Amino acid sequence: MTSKPFTIGVFDSGFGGLTVLRELLDLIPNARFTYLGDTARLPYGSKSRTTIARYAVSSTNFLLREGADLLVIACNTATALALNEIRAAAGFVPVLGVIEPGAHAAFAANPAGSVVVLATAATVQSNAYSRTLDLLGIRSTEKACPLLVPLVEEGWTAHPVTAEVARIYLTEALMKAPDATTLLLGCTHYPVLKPLLHTVLEQMHRPLHIIDSARATAEAVLARLPAVPPLAAEAQPLAVFATDSVEKFQQLGSRFLGHPLPLVTLVDLGG
Ligand code: DGL
């Protein structure tokens, strides 16, 4: 009899969490992964706490039904606004979000630094990043960037319009934080904009250190894992589910994952 492989459920409102999955696959080759992108209900970042919690809990329940032994909430917005509800739904299954690892990565990069956090409107309103950075003794300014998610969804990751939008957001944020040293990407969609953000910051003569939480989150997951035996040869290492167009997910998702996705399965989680 072969035992069930240790399964890590990874959840995001869409494709962006694949940047976290990419690091997890790299660091934890022995686990089996189940990824859910709740694309039908994206964006979470412009919704209320109650709605975000309802969507996040139904997504969590799906991953638990799929056999998750540990959950990674790759979505910053769901981590910021619904971590308690998700943990309550998960019971004994451990749940890790992206905010603490991201904040610790910013601290590790520059313990005496001052951080600008770019995130969705809901994440910024929750102040989850500032509270976590405060506890580490780091000053921070949060900036909502609601136009960046749709631009990335459109595939405009190197487009002049996206560069101009980023320039406006960064200028506004840096006016409030003239001594900033670090730019923390507090949204799953922003890591694919890193090259563009680097260029814009260089043009603004503000070469901030850019941090995303993907690697730090994968390292935090690895630290929490029991010893996981290698996957059996016949085990499928990755199953990907989406709640809207699987074709679009397949096509856009590979950009976030860095290589082609396995076949994506459509699931209906209701409204
Ligand atoms: N996944 C969300 C986040 O990291 C971004 C997309 C959305 O608004 O749903 O905050």
Side-chain angles (χ1 to χ4, degrees):
M1 194 185 90
T2 51
S3 60
K4 171 184 164 304
F6 189 87
T7 302
I8 300 179
V10 183
F11 159 61
D12 182 36
S13 56
F15 319 96
L18 292 169
T19 55
V20 178
L21 178 65
R22 177 184 185 157
E23 301 294 342
L24 287 164
L25 286 166
D26 185 42
L27 267 188
I28 309 172
N30 286 354
R32 173 179 172 265
F33 289 91
T34 308
Y35 182 94
L36 171 67
D38 191 9
T39 40
R41 303 187 288 196
L42 175 137
Y44 281 22
S46 56
K47 300 201 167 67
S48 69
R49 182 184 290 274
T50 315
T51 302
I52 292 163
R54 182 159 57 84
Y55 291 174
V57 166
S58 73
S59 301
T60 299
N61 287 335
F62 171 79
L63 289 170
L64 293 169
R65 288 196 298 276
E66 287 298 311
D69 299 301
L70 182 146
L71 286 169
V72 179
I73 310 306
C75 179
N76 290 261
T77 306
T79 303
L81 290 111
L83 203 56
N84 289 342
E85 289 85 346
I86 294 170
R87 288 205 163 119
F92 293 113
V93 172
V95 179
L96 278 91
V98 280
I99 290 183
E100 279 207 15
H104 279 93
F107 176 77
N110 188 347
S114 157
V115 177
V116 168
V117 182
L118 305 184
T120 65
T123 299
V124 169
Q125 270 158 29
S126 77
N127 288 128
Y129 269 105
S130 317
R131 267 185 280 120
T132 312
L133 287 162
D134 260 5
L135 290 175
L136 296 170
I138 297 205
R139 278 167 299 127
S140 62
T141 302
E142 295 186 67
K143 176 71 187 159
C145 305
L147 294 176
L148 292 184
V149 166
L151 286 166
V152 170
E153 289 278 314
E154 201 54 43
W156 286 19
T157 51
H159 197 285
V161 168
T162 313
E164 194 48 36
V165 169
R167 192 183 330 277
I168 293 167
Y169 285 143
L170 287 168
T171 304
E172 288 174 3
L174 289 170
M175 270 187 334
K176 283 210 223 148
D179 60 343
T181 55
T182 311
L183 185 69
L184 176 51
L185 307 183
C187 173
T188 48
H189 280 59
Y190 303 169
V192 292
L193 294 176
K194 253 194 213 170
L196 177 139
L197 292 169
H198 266 299
T199 306
V200 171
L201 286 168
E202 255 172 40
Q203 289 165 350
M204 293 170 67
H205 306 292
R206 293 301 308 269
L208 304 183
H209 189 126
I210 302 183
I211 303 275
D212 77 68
S213 52
R215 188 73 184 184
T217 301
E219 282 165 1
V221 173
L222 182 63
R224 277 293 289 272
L225 277 192
V228 177
L231 275 182
E234 69 280 7
Q236 191 199 5
L238 171 62
V240 180
F241 298 88
T243 55
D244 195 14
S245 166
V246 288
E247 295 77 17
K248 187 175 174 199
F249 203 95
Q250 200 94 40
Q251 190 206 334
L252 265 187
S254 54
R255 189 173 309 163
F256 289 86
L257 191 60
H259 55 80
L261 267 76
L263 214 58
V264 181
T265 306
L266 183 67
V267 284
D268 182 0
L269 298 180

